[in-house]
PDB file of all heavy atoms in Angstrom:
ATOM      1  N   ARG A  73     -10.532  -8.660 -18.141  1.00 78.00           N
ATOM      2  CA  ARG A  73     -11.875  -8.097 -18.012  1.00 78.00           C
ATOM      3  C   ARG A  73     -12.053  -7.544 -16.576  1.00 78.00           C
ATOM      4  O   ARG A  73     -12.959  -6.793 -16.286  1.00 78.00           O
ATOM      5  CB  ARG A  73     -12.927  -8.999 -18.437  1.00 78.00           C
ATOM      6  CG  ARG A  73     -12.834  -9.292 -19.991  1.00 78.00           C
ATOM      7  CD  ARG A  73     -13.948 -10.243 -20.375  1.00 78.00           C
ATOM      8  NE  ARG A  73     -13.806 -10.530 -21.792  1.00 78.00           N
ATOM      9  CZ  ARG A  73     -14.367  -9.913 -22.821  1.00 78.00           C
ATOM     10  NH1 ARG A  73     -15.123  -8.835 -22.502  1.00 78.00           N
ATOM     11  NH2 ARG A  73     -14.167 -10.164 -24.008  1.00 78.00           N
ATOM     12  N   PHE A  74     -11.257  -8.031 -15.554  1.00 80.00           N
ATOM     13  CA  PHE A  74     -11.308  -7.573 -14.224  1.00 80.00           C
ATOM     14  C   PHE A  74     -10.461  -6.316 -14.033  1.00 80.00           C
ATOM     15  O   PHE A  74     -10.368  -5.912 -12.844  1.00 80.00           O
ATOM     16  CB  PHE A  74     -11.033  -8.638 -13.211  1.00 80.00           C
ATOM     17  CG  PHE A  74     -12.106  -9.591 -12.997  1.00 80.00           C
ATOM     18  CD1 PHE A  74     -12.102 -10.891 -13.673  1.00 80.00           C
ATOM     19  CD2 PHE A  74     -13.232  -9.469 -12.254  1.00 80.00           C
ATOM     20  CE1 PHE A  74     -13.031 -11.842 -13.492  1.00 80.00           C
ATOM     21  CE2 PHE A  74     -14.250 -10.305 -12.039  1.00 80.00           C
ATOM     22  CZ  PHE A  74     -14.172 -11.474 -12.723  1.00 80.00           C
ATOM     23  N   GLY A  75      -9.761  -5.870 -15.101  1.00 80.00           N
ATOM     24  CA  GLY A  75      -8.830  -4.815 -14.920  1.00 80.00           C
ATOM     25  C   GLY A  75      -7.451  -5.291 -14.602  1.00 80.00           C
ATOM     26  O   GLY A  75      -7.103  -6.447 -14.653  1.00 80.00           O
ATOM     27  N   HIS A  76      -6.550  -4.376 -14.268  1.00 80.00           N
ATOM     28  CA  HIS A  76      -5.165  -4.699 -14.097  1.00 80.00           C
ATOM     29  C   HIS A  76      -4.728  -4.293 -12.642  1.00 80.00           C
ATOM     30  O   HIS A  76      -3.486  -4.109 -12.426  1.00 80.00           O
ATOM     31  CB  HIS A  76      -4.253  -3.901 -15.087  1.00 80.00           C
ATOM     32  CG  HIS A  76      -4.531  -4.228 -16.451  1.00 80.00           C
ATOM     33  ND1 HIS A  76      -5.627  -3.580 -17.091  1.00 80.00           N
ATOM     34  CD2 HIS A  76      -3.982  -5.106 -17.310  1.00 80.00           C
ATOM     35  CE1 HIS A  76      -5.623  -4.083 -18.413  1.00 80.00           C
ATOM     36  NE2 HIS A  76      -4.717  -4.964 -18.515  1.00 80.00           N
ATOM     37  N   GLY A  77      -5.666  -4.084 -11.680  1.00 77.00           N
ATOM     38  CA  GLY A  77      -5.297  -3.557 -10.310  1.00 77.00           C
ATOM     39  C   GLY A  77      -4.355  -4.341  -9.569  1.00 77.00           C
ATOM     40  O   GLY A  77      -3.555  -3.792  -8.778  1.00 77.00           O
ATOM     41  N   LYS A  78      -4.336  -5.689  -9.754  1.00 82.00           N
ATOM     42  CA  LYS A  78      -3.366  -6.556  -9.006  1.00 82.00           C
ATOM     43  C   LYS A  78      -1.927  -6.250  -9.321  1.00 82.00           C
ATOM     44  O   LYS A  78      -1.018  -6.772  -8.625  1.00 82.00           O
ATOM     45  CB  LYS A  78      -3.672  -8.012  -9.059  1.00 82.00           C
ATOM     46  CG  LYS A  78      -5.026  -8.269  -8.469  1.00 82.00           C
ATOM     47  CD  LYS A  78      -5.206  -9.862  -8.333  1.00 82.00           C
ATOM     48  CE  LYS A  78      -6.498 -10.145  -7.584  1.00 82.00           C
ATOM     49  NZ  LYS A  78      -6.813 -11.656  -7.482  1.00 82.00           N
ATOM     50  N   ALA A  79      -1.619  -5.533 -10.443  1.00 82.00           N
ATOM     51  CA  ALA A  79      -0.254  -5.118 -10.712  1.00 82.00           C
ATOM     52  C   ALA A  79       0.356  -4.313  -9.534  1.00 82.00           C
ATOM     53  O   ALA A  79       1.557  -4.499  -9.243  1.00 82.00           O
ATOM     54  CB  ALA A  79      -0.172  -4.226 -11.961  1.00 82.00           C
ATOM     55  N   GLU A  80      -0.449  -3.582  -8.773  1.00 75.00           N
ATOM     56  CA  GLU A  80       0.025  -2.977  -7.607  1.00 75.00           C
ATOM     57  C   GLU A  80       0.558  -3.886  -6.530  1.00 75.00           C
ATOM     58  O   GLU A  80       1.547  -3.748  -5.849  1.00 75.00           O
ATOM     59  CB  GLU A  80      -0.964  -2.019  -6.995  1.00 75.00           C
ATOM     60  CG  GLU A  80      -1.201  -0.693  -7.793  1.00 75.00           C
ATOM     61  CD  GLU A  80      -1.923   0.347  -6.925  1.00 75.00           C
ATOM     62  OE1 GLU A  80      -2.088   0.101  -5.674  1.00 75.00           O
ATOM     63  OE2 GLU A  80      -2.197   1.416  -7.514  1.00 75.00           O
ATOM     64  N   ALA A  81      -0.148  -4.993  -6.380  1.00 79.00           N
ATOM     65  CA  ALA A  81       0.292  -6.003  -5.375  1.00 79.00           C
ATOM     66  C   ALA A  81       1.492  -6.783  -5.777  1.00 79.00           C
ATOM     67  O   ALA A  81       2.289  -6.995  -4.981  1.00 79.00           O
ATOM     68  CB  ALA A  81      -0.939  -7.038  -5.113  1.00 79.00           C
ATOM     69  N   LEU A  82       1.547  -7.082  -7.084  1.00 83.00           N
ATOM     70  CA  LEU A  82       2.842  -7.562  -7.546  1.00 83.00           C
ATOM     71  C   LEU A  82       4.056  -6.711  -7.392  1.00 83.00           C
ATOM     72  O   LEU A  82       5.111  -7.110  -6.965  1.00 83.00           O
ATOM     73  CB  LEU A  82       2.700  -7.996  -9.044  1.00 83.00           C
ATOM     74  CG  LEU A  82       1.740  -9.144  -9.336  1.00 83.00           C
ATOM     75  CD1 LEU A  82       1.508  -9.198 -10.883  1.00 83.00           C
ATOM     76  CD2 LEU A  82       2.189 -10.428  -8.770  1.00 83.00           C
ATOM     77  N   ALA A  83       3.828  -5.421  -7.647  1.00 78.00           N
ATOM     78  CA  ALA A  83       4.885  -4.425  -7.360  1.00 78.00           C
ATOM     79  C   ALA A  83       5.317  -4.501  -5.879  1.00 78.00           C
ATOM     80  O   ALA A  83       6.478  -4.310  -5.591  1.00 78.00           O
ATOM     81  CB  ALA A  83       4.346  -3.051  -7.833  1.00 78.00           C
ATOM     82  N   ALA A  84       4.237  -4.438  -5.031  1.00 76.00           N
ATOM     83  CA  ALA A  84       4.531  -4.495  -3.510  1.00 76.00           C
ATOM     84  C   ALA A  84       5.430  -5.765  -3.077  1.00 76.00           C
ATOM     85  O   ALA A  84       6.336  -5.644  -2.357  1.00 76.00           O
ATOM     86  CB  ALA A  84       3.314  -4.421  -2.742  1.00 76.00           C
ATOM     87  N   LEU A  85       5.147  -6.877  -3.724  1.00 81.00           N
ATOM     88  CA  LEU A  85       5.953  -8.127  -3.387  1.00 81.00           C
ATOM     89  C   LEU A  85       7.325  -7.871  -3.752  1.00 81.00           C
ATOM     90  O   LEU A  85       8.291  -8.192  -3.205  1.00 81.00           O
ATOM     91  CB  LEU A  85       5.371  -9.293  -4.121  1.00 81.00           C
ATOM     92  CG  LEU A  85       4.151 -10.040  -3.413  1.00 81.00           C
ATOM     93  CD1 LEU A  85       3.775 -11.210  -4.305  1.00 81.00           C
ATOM     94  CD2 LEU A  85       4.529 -10.421  -2.040  1.00 81.00           C
ATOM     95  N   ALA A  86       7.614  -7.213  -5.058  1.00 79.00           N
ATOM     96  CA  ALA A  86       8.909  -6.864  -5.461  1.00 79.00           C
ATOM     97  C   ALA A  86       9.621  -5.933  -4.442  1.00 79.00           C
ATOM     98  O   ALA A  86      10.748  -6.098  -4.123  1.00 79.00           O
ATOM     99  CB  ALA A  86       8.899  -6.315  -6.922  1.00 79.00           C
TER     100      ALA A  86
END
Side-chain angles (χ1 to χ4, degrees):
R73 294 180 183 268
F74 285 100
H76 303 81
K78 288 189 177 180
E80 283 197 6
L82 292 173
L85 279 182

